[in-house]
Amino acid sequence: MSKSGQHGHGSPRRSSAEAWLDSRLKRAATGDHDAFADVYDTLARPVMGLICRVLRDEAQAEEVTQDVMVEIWRTADRYRPELGGARAWVLALAHRRAVDRVRHAQASTAREQRSALLAEDRPFDEVAETVERHEDRRHVRRCLAALERHQRVPLVLAYYQGMTYLEVAACLATPAGTVKSRMRSGLRQLRKCLEARS
């Protein structure tokens, strides 16, 4: 719909497209399915785009978008046009839902990390303990370089970045169990290499 055509008013009031959308949302609040279909068709894509930018995951964004649209249908009667347009109201709701999903995911990750820390030491502590006993950093680097890449990279992430097992596993897109076994074998070889020079 063209933005021209309804610019005759001096005040920066809503365009005809925005006014139409506002009216459709108000009708949806009364249970008008056709009005809600119009709201859905108009706003589903911008809602999805906003959520995708926050979550950076298309599959999750689709899921949250559907949740948001269902919530709009259920709570359309809470819309107050005097406080702003329908588009702004819907996008604010979508943004809130997306941020909630991010916080929930972060809380889940934090819980997993805490349980992993309770189960065993951070790999950083193990690697640091091994390295600290050897002052010559060049020798440490040579010993690290001598490891197989699949052993070296997780140890470097743990030592230089201070990552947990779960963080290393996520970074490398590798199962945590595989990362742990590679790091343990890498640590054994690193200790041997460092102690050989002592």
Side-chain angles (χ1 to χ4, degrees):
M1 197 173 290
S2 170
K3 289 186 177 179
S4 61
Q6 292 292 329
H7 273 108
H9 303 83
S11 64
R13 296 183 68 80
R14 295 177 206 143
S15 70
S16 57
E18 290 170 324
W20 173 81
L21 186 59
D22 294 353
S23 70
R24 301 312 283 164
L25 184 57
K26 283 187 279 188
R27 289 290 299 274
T30 68
D32 186 325
H33 287 79
D34 290 337
F36 176 70
D38 288 336
V39 172
Y40 189 103
D41 291 344
T42 305
L43 294 180
R45 283 186 68 180
V47 163
M48 172 81 173
L50 171 64
I51 293 171
C52 208
R53 282 196 297 278
V54 175
L55 298 183
R56 301 182 183 282
D57 181 304
E58 191 173 346
Q60 280 198 64
E62 284 181 6
E63 186 183 321
V64 176
T65 297
Q66 291 309 313
D67 289 346
V68 166
M69 300 316 286
V70 168
E71 187 173 350
I72 290 163
W73 170 247
R74 284 201 335 262
T75 65
D77 58 333
R78 294 182 195 166
Y79 167 58
R80 295 291 175 268
E82 64 274 14
L83 300 178
R87 177 181 291 268
W89 183 76
V90 168
L91 292 178
L93 192 155
H95 186 264
R96 194 161 58 244
R97 273 299 192 101
V99 170
D100 285 347
R101 174 63 69 96
V102 170
R103 285 179 182 149
H104 180 267
Q106 287 172 340
S108 297
T109 301
R111 279 196 300 274
E112 287 174 8
Q113 288 173 353
R114 279 196 297 274
S115 61
L117 287 174
L118 289 172
E120 55 196 318
D121 294 333
R122 287 172 67 94
F124 167 77
D125 296 331
E126 297 176 52
V127 185
E129 192 181 321
T130 299
V131 170
E132 297 294 299
R133 295 198 297 267
H134 301 270
E135 294 298 314
D136 187 346
R137 295 192 178 279
R138 282 199 305 270
H139 186 48
V140 171
R141 283 198 292 271
R142 275 199 294 274
C143 287
L144 277 169
L147 297 175
E148 294 286 334
R149 185 179 184 280
H150 68 271
Q151 295 171 326
R152 179 177 69 254
V153 172
L155 291 180
V156 167
L157 289 173
Y159 181 58
Y160 291 104
Q161 304 295 329
M163 289 185 176
T164 63
Y165 284 114
L166 284 173
E167 287 168 337
V168 172
C171 182
L172 300 177
T174 304
T178 303
V179 165
K180 286 177 193 173
S181 62
R182 287 176 180 175
M183 289 179 77
R184 293 205 183 286
S185 63
L187 264 175
R188 280 196 298 272
Q189 290 184 45
L190 183 62
R191 282 194 190 101
K192 278 184 197 169
C193 177
L194 290 170
E195 286 161 7
R197 190 181 170 200
S198 303

